[in-house]
């Protein structure tokens, strides 16, 4: 099983090993985001009041952590799309690689792409703006993990739509999480949202992560409740989206869509 | 145990359309090379896709190397392989990297040794470090064939295995396939429009038309039965016969 998972991961990692532009592309957006938000926070810190300084930390923390979810989702979805664009899915689906192994390989690739994308932005935040995300303590690992898993779950949903609707659904691979951003409480607390929208926000693991991050940054406390809620929701979304993906894969086998996917 | 047992296989893509494959039944022994022939739209691709588990049959059963392709297809797939010029290998990976990927997916032991063997036998040694996308059509066909042999399959499904190859290379590939079958007892099911190739390689031919096997037998039997000079003329007789 591990060998098959590695086989698919190797197919993608071999490309990155040889292509510096591909590696730079991975880091480009997170670093650019960090530069822009870094200047905004520098401006806010220049206002010289405590509220503005605290907001600066919350903004930079939000940018860094949200990038983990974005890169995880895109890393998964784009790895699948690359197989489709190279018209290689036919070979993969007639190999002994099980669907769950395909999913695990895509998850592994998404994690690798996330680390490559987010680590430079973290270093930039520290060296240029003096913001150290690690000051959140060990909880930061939990925050990152919860968001990476949420990225996987969303990507499974996107991939299912690509299997169902083909190339017409490709744009979702880039855009879907940006659409969720307003409800994910990345830069403001859930309480800011209208009361009817708050249950929607609380159904997302990200909202609990960012509430937990704000508790750590602003109140210097670890909110175990939000952390547990984030992982419980991750498990539920991952199970649901995993089921949707496997169902779509089976439906595609029935329709014959796997014969010409990507063409 | 036969290489393939196919029983009453039907595929209907839409309920209001005629089936693409309608009641296909055959048993293919191990060590045999069979041909699947038919014009465009006859149901060859649909049949091969169902044999590989890539397409779910509407009804019927496929047993590949004794494994039910609906319940236990991954065990069978590890012992089978497939090649088609119409499904690409990743273009930006080198030939060696492509073979490595599939070697891992098929769990091939001593992978680098196996890649070396195939490179020598299929004359790929000079191409191993070149990106697959930069190869000529004939070179790509040879690489696709190497990929399909990476796991020393017991059952090999080939779609147009010598498409785009010059006559000399195509002849070498056919000879190599014959030797591989004799040495390993691999069963080969071949879909091809090259009738000379089918005549040379196949001991048994199934003629498909509108999803139904309209005739079958050895190439010599078919040629004699239709009173023709070669398999191509038999093919044309069957393809042009009134429905």
């Amino acid at each position: 099983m591990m060998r098959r998972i590695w086989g698919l991961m190797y197919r993608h990692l071999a490309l990155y090993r040889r292509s510096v532009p591909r590696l730079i592309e991975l880091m480009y957006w997170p670093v650019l985001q960090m530069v822009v938000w870094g200047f905004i926070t520098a401006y806010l810190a220049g206002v010289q009041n405590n509220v503005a300084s605290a907001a600066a930390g919350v903004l930079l923390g939000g940018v860094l952590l949200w990038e983990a979810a974005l890169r995880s989702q895109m890393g998964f979805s784009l790895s699948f799309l690359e197989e489709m664009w190279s018209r290689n899915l036919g070979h993969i689906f007639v190999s002994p690689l099980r669907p769950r192994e395909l999913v695990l390989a895509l998850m592994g690739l998404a994690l690798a792409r996330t680390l490559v994308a987010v680590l430079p932005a973290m270093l930039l935040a520290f060296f240029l703006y003096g913001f150290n995300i690690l000051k959140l303590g060990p909880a930061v690992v939990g925050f990152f993990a919860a968001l990476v898993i949420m990225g996987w779950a969303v990507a499974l949903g996107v991939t299912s739509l690509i299997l169902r609707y083909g190339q017409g659904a490709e744009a979702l691979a880039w855009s879907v999480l940006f659409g969720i951003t307003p409800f994910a409480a990345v830069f403001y607390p859930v309480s800011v949202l209208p009361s009817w929208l708050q249950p929607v926000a609380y159904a997302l693991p990200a909202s609990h992560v960012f509430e937990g991050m704000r508790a750590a940054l602003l109140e210097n406390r670890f909110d175990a409740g939000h952390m547990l809620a984030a992982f419980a929701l991750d498990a539920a979304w991952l199970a649901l989206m995993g089921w949707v993906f496997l169902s779509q894969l089976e439906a595609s086998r029935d329709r014959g869509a796997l014969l010409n996917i990507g063409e | 145990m036969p290489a393939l047992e196919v029983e009453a296989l039907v595929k209907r893509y839409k309920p209001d359309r005629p089936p693409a494959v309608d009641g296909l039944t055959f048993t293919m022994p191990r060590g045999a090379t069979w041909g699947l022939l038919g014009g465009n739209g006859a149901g060859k691709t649909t049949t091969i896709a169902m044999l590989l588990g890539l397409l779910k049959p509407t009804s019927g059963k496929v047993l590949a190397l004794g494994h039910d392709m609906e319940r236990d297809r991954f065990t069978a797939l590890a012992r089978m392989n497939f090649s088609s010029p119409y499904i690409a290998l990743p273009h930006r990976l080198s030939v060696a990297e492509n073979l490595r990927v599939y070697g891992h997916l098929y769990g091939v032991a001593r992978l680098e040794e196996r890649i070396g063997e195939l490179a020598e036998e299929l004359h790929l040694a000079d191409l191993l470090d070149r990106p697959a996308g930069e190869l000529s059509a004939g070179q790509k066909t040879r690489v696709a064939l190497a990929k399909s042999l990476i796991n020393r399959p017991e059952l090999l499904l080939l779609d147009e295995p010598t498409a785009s190859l010059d006559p000399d290379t195509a002849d070498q590939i056919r000879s190599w396939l014959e030797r591989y079958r004799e040495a390993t007892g691999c069963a080969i099911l071949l879909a091809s429009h090259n009738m000379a190739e089918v005549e040379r390689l196949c001991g048994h031919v199934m003629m498909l038309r509108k999803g139904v096997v309209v005739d079958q037998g050895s190439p010599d039997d078919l040629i004699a039965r239709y009173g023709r000079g070669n398999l191509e003329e038999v093919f044309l007789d069957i393809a042009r016969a009134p429905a």
Side-chain angles (χ1 to χ4, degrees):
Chain A
M1 173 180 170
M2 293 311 292
R3 181 110 189 260
R4 290 190 291 269
I5 292 171
W6 169 244
L8 194 59
M9 290 183 71
Y10 171 82
R11 173 253 191 277
H12 290 266
L13 297 175
L15 284 179
Y16 283 103
R17 192 178 58 186
R18 276 210 313 257
S19 174
V20 174
R22 276 180 168 256
L23 274 175
I24 291 172
E25 186 198 349
L26 278 183
M27 301 169 197
Y28 179 75
W29 281 111
V31 165
L32 193 69
Q33 286 273 68
M34 184 47 62
V35 169
V36 171
W37 285 94
F39 284 129
I40 292 171
T41 56
Y43 165 71
L44 286 173
V47 174
Q48 292 291 320
N49 72 50
N50 289 338
V51 176
S53 297
V58 169
L59 282 177
L60 283 183
V63 170
L64 270 179
L65 287 174
W66 192 229
E67 278 297 323
L70 284 168
R71 298 302 134 192
S72 168
Q73 181 265 313
M74 285 189 196
F76 186 116
S77 306
L78 294 179
S79 299
F80 182 83
L81 278 173
E82 278 177 24
E83 296 296 352
M84 203 169 114
W85 293 329
S86 61
R87 293 172 57 232
N88 188 41
L89 278 173
H91 282 309
I92 287 178
F93 285 131
V94 301
S95 80
L97 186 80
R98 274 78 168 161
R100 65 173 183 275
E101 293 164 355
L102 170 68
V103 170
L104 288 171
L106 293 172
M107 285 174 170
L109 284 165
L111 179 61
R113 290 171 75 141
T114 303
L115 290 173
V116 172
V118 174
L119 284 175
M122 272 175 66
L123 292 172
L124 195 70
F126 179 70
F127 287 112
L128 284 188
Y129 309 113
F131 176 75
N132 183 6
I133 189 91
L134 300 177
K135 75 181 176 190
L136 290 171
V140 77
V141 177
F143 292 150
F144 269 110
L147 289 168
V148 166
I149 295 169
M150 179 180 152
W152 292 341
V154 174
L156 276 166
V158 169
T159 312
S160 303
L161 288 170
I162 292 169
L163 280 172
R164 177 67 186 85
Y165 297 106
Q167 292 179 325
E170 274 182 32
L172 289 172
W174 287 273
S175 58
V176 70
L177 263 188
F178 290 106
I180 292 174
T181 310
F183 319 110
V186 181
F187 302 115
Y188 41 77
V190 174
S191 59
V192 167
L193 295 171
S195 56
W196 60 269
L197 210 50
Q198 290 182 16
V200 176
Y202 279 126
L204 300 173
S207 303
H208 296 277
V209 167
F210 290 111
E211 293 289 45
M213 180 199 74
R214 279 184 285 273
L217 279 174
L218 301 176
E219 301 162 32
N220 207 24
R221 69 181 173 84
F222 171 64
D223 191 324
H226 276 305
M227 186 70 90
L228 284 173
F231 278 109
L233 284 166
D234 270 339
W237 279 112
L238 203 56
L240 177 66
M241 290 300 138
W243 175 78
V244 170
F245 175 78
L246 294 177
S247 304
Q248 269 314 317
L249 199 57
E250 205 52 23
S252 300
R253 269 189 73 223
D254 191 34
R255 285 198 311 276
L258 299 181
L259 291 172
N260 50 15
I261 193 166
E263 288 180 1
Chain B
M1 182 197 308
L4 269 172
E5 284 179 271
V6 175
E7 198 182 306
L9 198 63
V10 174
K11 183 63 193 181
R12 193 183 283 275
Y13 287 105
K14 291 190 175 162
D16 55 342
R17 296 243 181 104
V21 171
D22 193 4
L24 191 63
T25 298
F26 66 89
T27 300
M28 181 181 164
R30 283 171 181 254
T33 301
W34 281 27
L36 191 59
L37 301 187
N40 296 328
K44 298 188 302 294
T45 304
T46 297
T47 300
I48 286 180
M50 285 192 284
L51 299 181
L52 288 162
L54 192 61
L55 182 64
K56 193 173 182 170
T58 305
S59 62
K61 195 179 225 182
V62 176
L63 293 180
L65 301 166
H67 300 281
D68 187 326
M69 290 304 280
E70 275 309 295
R71 288 184 302 170
D72 190 20
R73 73 176 185 275
F74 296 105
T75 313
L77 287 171
R79 297 164 58 196
M80 303 164 60
N81 216 313
F82 165 66
S83 173
S84 166
Y86 308 112
I87 300 181
L89 291 167
H91 283 188
R92 292 194 188 91
L93 290 186
S94 70
V95 170
E97 285 167 340
N98 265 301
L99 294 177
R100 232 170 259 141
V101 168
Y102 283 94
H104 288 306
L105 290 179
Y106 283 88
V108 175
R110 296 195 298 279
L111 179 55
E112 293 305 317
E113 201 179 300
R114 179 65 181 149
I115 291 171
E117 279 171 19
L118 288 169
E120 192 184 323
E121 288 165 8
L122 294 168
H123 308 294
L124 296 172
D126 293 339
L127 306 177
L128 283 177
D129 293 327
R130 284 180 56 187
E134 291 179 9
L135 304 179
S136 69
Q139 288 168 333
K140 280 180 188 167
T141 304
R142 277 189 285 147
V143 173
L145 192 62
K147 172 262 158 191
S148 73
L149 296 164
I150 192 83
N151 61 328
R152 297 181 179 88
E154 296 164 60
L155 171 60
L156 189 54
L157 305 185
L158 299 175
D159 189 9
E160 302 283 353
T162 58
S164 316
L165 294 179
D166 62 72
D168 178 43
T169 314
D171 181 68
Q172 285 177 32
I173 294 292
R174 286 176 202 127
S175 301
W176 196 88
L177 283 171
E178 283 173 323
R179 285 200 303 274
Y180 179 76
R181 185 186 60 78
E182 280 163 17
T184 64
C186 172
I188 300 174
L189 182 65
L190 187 81
S192 177
H193 286 126
N194 184 328
M195 298 299 140
E197 174 171 276
V198 173
E199 270 189 70
R200 172 171 162 185
L201 289 177
C202 298
H204 189 92
V205 174
M206 290 183 288
M207 295 284 195
L208 268 182
R209 190 174 169 210
K210 293 186 177 173
V212 177
V213 175
V214 289
D215 212 338
Q216 58 182 311
S218 72
D220 288 345
D221 283 349
L222 286 168
I223 291 165
R225 202 181 308 153
Y226 284 79
R228 293 295 182 174
N230 56 47
L231 200 57
E232 184 154 345
E233 291 173 3
V234 175
F235 178 89
L236 291 174
D237 271 2
I238 290 173
R240 291 173 182 172

